[in-house]
Amino acid sequence: MLGYVLTNFIVYAIVNAFTPGPGNILALNTVTNYGWKKGKPLFFGIFEYSGALKAQIR
């Protein structure tokens, strides 16, 4: 169980480090409820959106 919790926290911390706002809460909820494997499309979407948003601001 400790490994599962640690893995979820690491995924959450990585997403949290690069994305602003509500994506952080959504990532934490998704990892907790569904795990890393089922949440991958969401994480990549959050990364892609935050990158596109930052590109538009510049």
Side-chain angles (χ1 to χ4, degrees):
M1 169 121 175
L2 179 62
Y4 178 74
V5 172
L6 188 60
T7 302
N8 289 343
F9 176 73
I10 289 171
V11 169
Y12 171 71
I14 290 170
V15 171
N16 191 18
F18 297 106
T19 62
N24 300 334
I25 297 169
L26 186 59
L28 176 62
N29 189 27
T30 301
V31 169
T32 302
N33 290 331
Y34 303 111
W36 163 247
K37 287 184 180 180
K38 289 186 178 178
K40 274 197 255 186
L42 173 71
F43 303 136
F44 292 134
I46 291 172
F47 283 135
E48 185 176 327
Y49 173 76
S50 67
L53 183 64
K54 289 175 185 175
Q56 286 180 351
I57 291 173
R58 290 182 188 175

